[in-house]
Amino acid sequence: MITNTELEHKGNLTPSKIIGFRKDVDRLYFSTDNDVVLQVTVLRDSVLRFRYTTTGTFTKDFSYAITKYASTGYNHLEIEELKTFYKITTSKLECHISKLNLGVQIYDVLDKRLINQDEIGFHWEESYVHGGNFVKMSKVSNDGESYYGLGDKPSHINLKGKRFENWVTDSYAYGKDSDPIYKSIPFYTGLHHNKAYGIFFDNSFRSFFDFAQERRNVTSFWAMGGEMNYYFIYGPKMTEVVESYTDLTGKPHLLPPMWALGFHQCKWSYYPEKKVKSIANNFRKLKIPCDAIYLDIDYMDGFRCFTWNKDYFPDPKRMVKELLDDGFKTVAIIDPGIKIDKEYSVFREALENDYFCKRADGPYMKGKVWPGECYFPDFTNPKVRDWWAGLFQELIEDIGVKGVWNDMNEPAVMEVPNKTFPDDVRHEYDGNRCSHRKAHNVYGMQMARATYQGLKKFAYPKRPFVITRAAYSGTQRYTSTWTGDNVATWEHLWIANVQAQRLAMSGFSFAGSDIGGFAEQPQGELFTRWVQLGIFHPFFRVHSSGDHGDQEPWAFGKNVTDVVRKFIEIRYQLLPYLYTTFWNYVEDGTPILKSLVLYDQEDVHTHYRTDEFVFGNQILVCPILEPNAKGRRMYVPNGNWYSFWDDSIIEGGLELWVDADIEEMPIYIKEGAVIPKYPIQQYVGEKKIETVTLEVYYKEGKEVSQLYDDAHDGYDYTKGRYSLRTFKLTGKPNELIIQQHKEGKFDAEYGNFEIKLHGLPFEIEEIQVDNVVIPVKELIKNGNSEMTIDKEFSQLHLIGKTE
Ligand code: GLC
């Protein structure tokens, strides 16, 4: 193993003097006296791409991360040559490139504040063993500068003072600060002077990031091969940085079916059929909502993907249908390792068509996984992806499985020291043939992509649902994810919270952890606290290894069952809120979970907060992470917040103690919010929704809320059959006005909104709906706080009694 301390500084530091400049539309080339060429591409006013070569020419440009749908175009571009530097100006940025040493400085064009600058800047070290270079970049790190992002790192939200590695790794029972683990997302956001910028180092080789750890005033990143190729993304708001990064690497292509946002129950493994059925029945019997049940590797025949163990599951199609009739969608696992077995058709087809990965000198890449010795499809070959997608026909179209869970796709190999393929394995890399050094970090992503392709085709006209363990930047386009094999400890509850937030600020919102812990068994209290957090994670699944007992909501006694049920019910009530938030993510790349720094970067107190986060835009959550706790201290961001439990109001901008015995957790609603809620259902679509509740939290002032809706599955929404309702709330001491604006062609089944008012400071004397006065007695129920009105109202106006 190379120690990276050696790597950071070493290298070719000879400054490169600019001797030539060329412009090709929005591409600028700066060539130097030592064959280094810098190519700067202006993608948007706030996005610049920097590429460096040391040979005078660039190799073919190819990336799995960047989407063809990324927004491009700028309002302004000007290039000037000055005495000591070139100046590139857009409507957001001013970038200086030094003629003396190619150093880059980037300023906010408006207030001329320096946002980011090279320290040594680009440098490199030739690789004798592999050819090419180890490519390196160093930047100045400012006092007070903070760093966020990098995917699934199980460390403090603020990355300052730490060093990380990106190399996708199967990490059973990883712990706090374990590194690297399952994902490689080489993107971070830096924040100082209230301005946020992002750096996406699009290089799939093993890479490293040092956030002012080795040297106090330097942040650097480097990779073991490939090109120095990074995108600079300006905010100045952190949400804008994350949105731009997500736009560049892709928002999910489709909304998930709404059921995928329900509760999922999983275990390694539920078998035979009788067991699966009894688990499902118990959910219904105990009235605990659940939408999906998982089949882990034991459903297969000898762990051969796309087969069934007919002793355990004699008639999978019937079983899947019966489960579905009861509201359960079946999700099945599919791993990349294909058992070496001449009698097995999937193996034979791949062998005949030359779809398996090979070692440098020709033999197949052979490795042990669950089925024993396996070969592995090369998912970086488009032909292999098409073939793989086709394999799902029976499972999805015929048997009716609704989702696929891709695991072990780092790729994980057992009984070898490096837990994966050796470096020399060859890959197609979509026509850019290379070794595993370059393809390793994208292998799992390409597998999930091929799986997604298969589901999209065979689940049609329903929406696909995929879950993956391994990922590289851009994987969020195709699939959801979980955080791998965690452990049933309180520390892992902390880790799960950090990882879901961090993934969200790294463009990957559809994420969750194995609730309760995969390895070992939680006590009822830990399980309960984990479910409480889990209801706020976009992917909401209980999973465990099954080695240490049961982990269903009823496995810990009645008290736990009751509290867990109550929280899962809250999740189901909040589905329209979550669905709207998800739609925002798919539309604009807005993260579903917002760490406090993302929510309010102006408040420096948020820069080091880790536990609290905002779910969507208006629900503040803080999990309880300690045993025996009756509450905790938490930081409440600026603004006024209503307690979800008793409507008491707290003024934010401070840390305070909050009571939260085991039946509660700290949940607050932003004042002015209009939160849509569904009635409790045992699964999505169980009930015809007759009314949607709007929980209205009075505010003196204004606040905007939204409600997105569509058919909850299928593609009609992509053709305009959706509805987006915007609620503008205006509160005055003696009045409350809610104006509704609707767009889109979808008409939901329900006819009415049930309005529930919170914190109204006056007694209602007059009500006007669309300027028509309605007698108060006719409308108001429950004292002063509830009423039912037609969902198409344009304006609801409540006027209070005057003294
Ligand atoms: C891996 C997965 C885990 C799964 C197990 C068996 O450990 O991470 O979720 O249950 O393999 O398939």
Side-chain angles (χ1 to χ4, degrees):
M1 189 71 218
I2 296 154
T3 71
N4 313 306
T5 326
E6 293 163 36
L7 265 173
E8 192 209 332
H9 295 101
K10 252 177 74 181
N12 193 332
L13 305 180
T14 340
S16 316
K17 281 200 187 63
I18 297 183
I19 52 167
F21 168 72
R22 180 162 70 81
K23 176 173 181 281
D24 182 4
V25 195
D26 47 18
R27 255 184 209 170
L28 320 174
Y29 294 86
F30 302 91
S31 36
T32 63
D33 54 357
N34 65 352
D35 274 349
V36 171
V37 181
L38 161 61
Q39 181 200 80
V40 180
T41 311
V42 180
L43 279 101
R44 298 170 64 177
D45 289 299
S46 56
V47 183
L48 304 179
R49 178 185 181 194
F50 295 86
R51 275 179 94 188
Y52 296 82
T53 174
T54 58
T55 60
T57 50
F58 287 95
T59 49
K60 193 177 139 199
D61 192 17
F62 176 79
S63 163
Y64 282 117
I66 305 296
T67 170
K68 60 178 180 201
Y69 303 111
S71 324
T72 47
Y74 43 82
N75 297 311
H76 179 77
L77 177 60
E78 206 179 298
I79 295 129
E80 263 176 278
E81 185 180 345
L82 291 127
K83 194 152 172 254
T84 55
F85 61 90
Y86 285 88
K87 183 163 112 180
I88 307 164
T89 312
T90 72
S91 70
K92 292 261 168 71
L93 294 172
E94 189 177 299
C95 173
H96 297 185
I97 304 197
S98 160
K99 286 185 175 173
L100 217 63
N101 60 11
L102 212 55
V104 173
Q105 297 186 320
I106 303 175
Y107 299 81
D108 182 313
V109 79
L110 298 177
D111 63 9
K112 306 288 181 216
R113 166 87 65 187
L114 183 58
I115 306 157
N116 188 260
Q117 65 173 315
D118 284 358
E119 186 241 0
I120 300 171
F122 174 58
H123 53 296
W124 70 98
E125 193 185 329
E126 265 184 50
S127 167
Y128 170 71
V129 182
H130 303 288
N133 298 318
F134 298 149
V135 289
K136 308 169 185 191
M137 172 60 61
S138 63
K139 302 266 182 193
V140 170
S141 174
N142 299 280
D143 289 342
E145 186 160 359
S146 295
Y147 301 96
Y148 307 92
L150 285 199
D152 63 347
K153 305 295 181 199
S155 298
H156 195 287
I157 287 281
N158 192 333
L159 305 172
K160 184 142 194 187
K162 292 185 194 272
R163 171 176 289 194
F164 298 95
E165 177 175 345
N166 291 307
W167 182 255
V168 170
T169 306
D170 176 10
S171 311
Y172 175 80
Y174 60 98
K176 191 168 182 228
D177 293 322
S178 290
D179 187 52
I181 58 168
Y182 300 94
K183 296 174 179 72
S184 167
I185 304 193
F187 161 69
Y188 71 87
T189 304
L191 173 66
H192 68 112
H193 292 114
N194 193 24
K195 292 186 190 297
Y197 65 89
I199 293 214
F200 171 42
F201 181 25
D202 188 11
N203 180 316
S204 62
F205 284 81
R206 188 191 294 268
S207 66
F208 299 86
F209 286 74
D210 182 304
F211 298 103
Q213 190 211 48
E214 186 177 324
R215 289 183 288 150
R216 213 178 132 248
N217 290 313
V218 178
T219 278
S220 53
F221 49 94
W222 62 101
M224 306 298 281
E227 238 181 34
M228 177 44 63
N229 166 33
Y230 76 91
Y231 294 78
F232 178 87
I233 303 167
Y234 189 41
K237 288 191 64 184
M238 196 170 158
T239 26
E240 294 168 329
V241 173
V242 176
E243 284 169 359
S244 281
Y245 163 77
T246 312
D247 180 83
L248 198 61
T249 57
K251 299 169 266 203
H253 285 169
L254 291 165
L255 271 171
M258 191 188 260
W259 67 260
L261 303 179
F263 176 66
H264 301 208
Q265 180 70 39
C266 184
K267 177 179 171 165
W268 178 17
S269 287
Y270 290 133
Y271 70 90
E273 174 178 339
K274 219 169 105 211
K275 178 78 188 174
V276 179
K277 287 282 192 56
S278 82
I279 297 290
N281 290 340
N282 237 357
F283 273 100
R284 298 298 179 245
K285 196 173 92 203
L286 295 170
K287 293 217 163 310
I288 301 167
C290 183
D291 259 281
I293 194 150
Y294 281 59
L295 300 177
D296 204 327
I297 48 175
D298 296 285
Y299 80 90
M300 302 176 193
D301 173 17
F303 308 127
R304 290 170 188 82
C305 291
F306 305 100
T307 67
W308 289 80
N309 178 322
K310 290 288 170 98
D311 292 334
Y312 298 153
F313 299 98
D315 187 355
K317 187 170 176 169
R318 176 190 42 73
M319 175 187 78
V320 165
K321 173 164 186 313
E322 286 166 6
L323 286 168
L324 189 65
D325 289 343
D326 205 9
F328 289 94
K329 275 60 71 176
T330 306
V331 180
I333 197 167
I334 291 286
D335 289 353
I338 299 297
K339 188 177 175 67
I340 301 177
D341 171 4
K342 294 236 161 68
E343 307 295 308
Y344 168 36
S345 66
V346 175
F347 173 78
R348 272 203 324 267
E349 274 180 36
L351 197 69
E352 280 160 18
N353 292 297
D354 202 15
Y355 289 160
F356 288 127
C357 295
K358 289 190 191 129
R359 304 292 300 267
D361 297 326
Y364 288 108
M365 165 57 221
K366 188 156 80 179
K368 275 200 187 139
V369 215
W370 307 122
E373 289 198 324
C374 289
Y375 291 164
F376 301 82
D378 182 8
F379 295 104
T380 68
N381 179 342
K383 281 198 201 118
V384 175
R385 289 197 298 270
D386 284 348
W387 163 74
W388 184 260
L391 295 173
F392 286 95
Q393 181 155 19
E394 190 187 344
L395 193 67
I396 306 299
E397 194 178 86
D398 183 35
I399 297 176
V401 163
K402 292 284 179 275
V404 172
W405 166 26
N406 281 166
D407 185 26
M408 307 296 274
N409 52 350
E410 290 69 29
V413 178
M414 293 165 175
E415 296 170 27
V416 290
N418 65 342
K419 300 186 192 173
T420 190
F421 295 179
D423 280 353
D424 71 272
V425 169
R426 304 292 297 160
H427 293 273
E428 183 58 31
Y429 215 91
D430 280 71
N432 306 276
R433 288 188 60 74
C434 66
S435 78
H436 197 63
R437 293 170 65 244
K438 180 170 174 179
H440 175 81
N441 280 336
V442 301
Y443 184 87
M445 172 196 196
Q446 294 310 304
M447 179 192 184
R449 174 185 179 186
T451 301
Y452 171 81
Q453 227 172 285
L455 263 98
K456 206 173 157 198
K457 185 159 173 202
F458 299 114
Y460 191 83
K462 302 281 191 203
R463 298 175 199 164
F465 174 65
V466 179
I467 150 167
T468 182
R469 194 169 72 175
Y472 181 68
S473 290
T475 308
Q476 71 275 3
R477 304 201 288 270
Y478 316 113
T479 164
S480 65
T481 189
W482 91 107
T483 57
D485 296 343
N486 59 5
V487 188
T489 61
W490 288 91
E491 182 175 83
H492 265 274
L493 180 55
W494 181 92
I495 292 175
N497 181 24
V498 164
Q499 286 182 305
Q501 291 182 53
R502 188 189 302 297
L503 281 160
M505 61 168 80
S506 307
F508 211 149
S509 276
F510 199 3
S513 66
D514 280 353
I515 293 173
F518 176 75
E520 298 172 25
Q521 203 197 16
Q523 302 249 299
E525 185 188 2
L526 175 58
F527 183 75
T528 308
R529 292 303 196 186
W530 212 316
V531 170
Q532 291 176 346
L533 172 64
I535 71 165
F536 297 105
H537 285 172
F539 180 61
F540 180 32
R541 181 183 77 159
V542 166
H543 181 42
S544 70
S545 69
D547 294 344
H548 302 89
D550 294 338
Q551 210 156 296
E552 292 80 33
W554 51 84
F556 307 92
K558 187 172 179 312
N559 292 349
V560 171
T561 310
D562 289 344
V563 182
V564 163
R565 179 194 298 106
K566 175 171 111 177
F567 276 84
I568 298 180
E569 286 176 353
I570 294 174
R571 165 71 164 222
Y572 275 76
Q573 290 177 297
L574 287 175
L575 278 174
Y577 176 83
L578 174 57
Y579 200 55
T580 303
T581 308
F582 214 114
W583 176 80
N584 257 298
Y585 168 51
V586 168
E587 276 292 296
D588 300 326
T590 314
I592 295 178
L593 306 186
K594 294 179 190 71
S595 302
L596 290 197
V597 62
L598 256 173
Y599 182 76
D600 185 4
Q601 70 188 46
E602 280 181 36
D603 175 3
V604 289
H605 292 107
T606 66
H607 295 192
Y608 279 89
R609 300 307 301 196
T610 285
D611 297 352
E612 309 84 350
F613 64 93
V614 177
F615 173 65
N617 293 322
Q618 296 165 319
I619 302 182
L620 170 68
V621 180
C622 188
I624 299 286
L625 303 171
E626 306 268 348
N628 298 317
K630 304 275 178 224
R632 61 164 295 160
R633 292 192 70 78
M634 72 178 276
Y635 186 75
V636 179
N638 286 317
N640 290 336
W641 300 84
Y642 283 79
S643 159
F644 175 78
W645 305 107
D646 64 12
D647 278 356
S648 58
I649 298 177
I650 47 171
E651 201 184 313
L654 77 172
E655 194 183 79
L656 77 170
W657 171 268
V658 177
D659 287 333
D661 222 330
I662 192 77
E663 303 84 40
E664 291 188 356
M665 78 182 282
I667 306 174
Y668 289 92
I669 314 289
K670 191 178 179 195
E671 69 165 354
V674 174
I675 309 281
K677 274 192 186 162
Y678 275 176
I680 294 163
Q681 304 181 80
Q682 296 309 301
Y683 56 90
V684 167
E686 183 211 14
K687 290 183 184 158
K688 184 170 172 231
I689 309 289
E690 310 271 1
T691 347
V692 167
T693 303
L694 299 180
E695 307 277 355
V696 176
Y697 292 84
Y698 172 85
K699 170 186 189 175
E700 193 177 330
K702 291 180 193 293
E703 172 78 13
V704 177
S705 308
Q706 287 186 318
L707 169 58
Y708 170 85
D709 204 5
D710 63 20
H712 303 168
D713 205 336
Y715 290 72
D716 279 2
Y717 81 99
T718 62
K719 296 169 209 125
R721 289 190 55 82
Y722 68 90
S723 69
L724 178 65
R725 295 166 189 276
T726 306
F727 302 107
K728 280 195 188 143
L729 177 143
T730 310
K732 298 179 188 163
N734 208 35
E735 267 175 273
L736 180 66
I737 301 166
I738 301 170
Q739 288 164 311
Q740 179 181 205
H741 170 79
K742 185 188 159 192
E743 68 176 65
K745 288 184 272 185
F746 180 74
D747 191 19
E749 286 179 323
Y750 60 89
N752 296 319
F753 285 127
E754 168 100 6
I755 309 264
K756 287 196 180 161
L757 301 164
H758 299 259
L760 204 65
F762 54 83
E763 201 182 316
I764 302 170
E765 185 173 64
E766 190 179 311
I767 303 177
Q768 296 176 11
V769 179
D770 299 345
N771 296 322
V772 177
V773 178
I774 316 266
V776 175
K777 270 203 232 111
E778 227 174 71
L779 214 55
I780 291 283
K781 296 177 287 186
N782 207 1
N784 196 32
S785 67
E786 289 181 26
M787 66 190 80
T788 304
I789 62 171
D790 190 290
K791 75 168 188 287
E792 302 306 344
F793 80 92
S794 305
Q795 178 169 296
L796 172 67
H797 192 168
L798 309 178
I799 303 159
K801 282 201 175 114
T802 39
E803 301 297 301

